[in-house]
Amino acid sequence: APAPAPKVEEKKAPAPAPAAAATPFVKDAVIFLESKSTGKNLRIHADGKIDGNGGAGKWAKFKCHVEGKSVQLQNVGDEKHWLKINKDTKVLCVGIGGNQCKFNPELKDGHWFLNSELATGARIGIIESGEIKAGDNTGYGKDGQFTVKKAD
């Protein structure tokens, strides 16, 4: 009788690498940026004042404009208002959609950080009262942490 064929051990395929978290910052997406410090949404008031005490209305909604790894965030309540960090003062303010309005979102420990593309070392920050924090004084603590949610 012929010898039995040697048993071939099946090699298991290596586990797939974990997929990179899908970015919520996609072209034309409308989002809320919920501040970890306040538990409320970032908003731009009609007069251009920015704070972290927003609800779910149009002033707290932002439309994403994506170019490469950078995103610009246009307010839905007033389309002339864009989030901006001034490259000189490193302060969050309202811009008109220029280069100082570009952010490089960074996901770290389950939270999003919005790093200014031009104001090196500055990111969007909100303190517990809802007031804005100096961009160059905002690190990776809760003041700089945001949860991004889709808005309808």
Side-chain angles (χ1 to χ4, degrees):
K7 277 198 167 178
V8 177
E9 279 192 49
E10 279 189 49
K11 285 189 179 169
K12 288 190 176 160
T23 177
F25 300 98
V26 293
K27 182 180 184 302
D28 297 334
V30 177
I31 60 169
F32 292 116
L33 295 166
E34 182 184 284
S35 165
K36 172 101 189 234
S37 288
T38 64
K40 296 177 182 170
N41 293 319
L42 191 68
R43 67 178 168 190
I44 303 177
H45 293 265
D47 65 4
K49 181 180 183 292
I50 301 171
D51 68 34
N53 289 321
K58 65 182 180 178
W59 306 109
K61 292 179 183 178
F62 294 91
K63 182 177 179 181
C64 297
H65 297 267
V66 180
E67 185 183 312
K69 64 178 180 157
S70 72
V71 64
Q72 292 174 298
L73 298 162
Q74 181 182 30
N75 189 249
V76 171
D78 184 339
E79 293 184 351
K80 293 189 299 289
H81 289 169
W82 301 65
L83 291 176
K84 162 186 167 180
I85 290 185
N86 182 293
K87 70 178 173 48
D88 299 319
T89 64
K90 311 233 190 295
V91 171
L92 179 66
C93 56
V94 168
I96 57 169
N99 284 335
Q100 293 184 73
C101 298
K102 290 183 178 176
F103 293 90
N104 293 326
E106 177 183 2
L107 184 61
K108 194 176 172 88
D109 300 326
H111 295 285
W112 285 99
F113 295 86
L114 290 155
N115 304 314
S116 170
E117 190 165 282
L118 288 187
T120 310
R123 62 181 55 91
I124 295 178
I126 296 292
I127 59 175
E128 282 184 17
S129 66
E131 293 174 83
I132 59 174
K133 183 174 182 175
D136 55 351
N137 203 20
T138 302
Y140 287 105
K142 70 176 182 171
D143 293 348
Q145 297 176 9
F146 291 89
T147 300
V148 180
K149 297 182 176 172
K150 278 196 165 153
D152 295 324

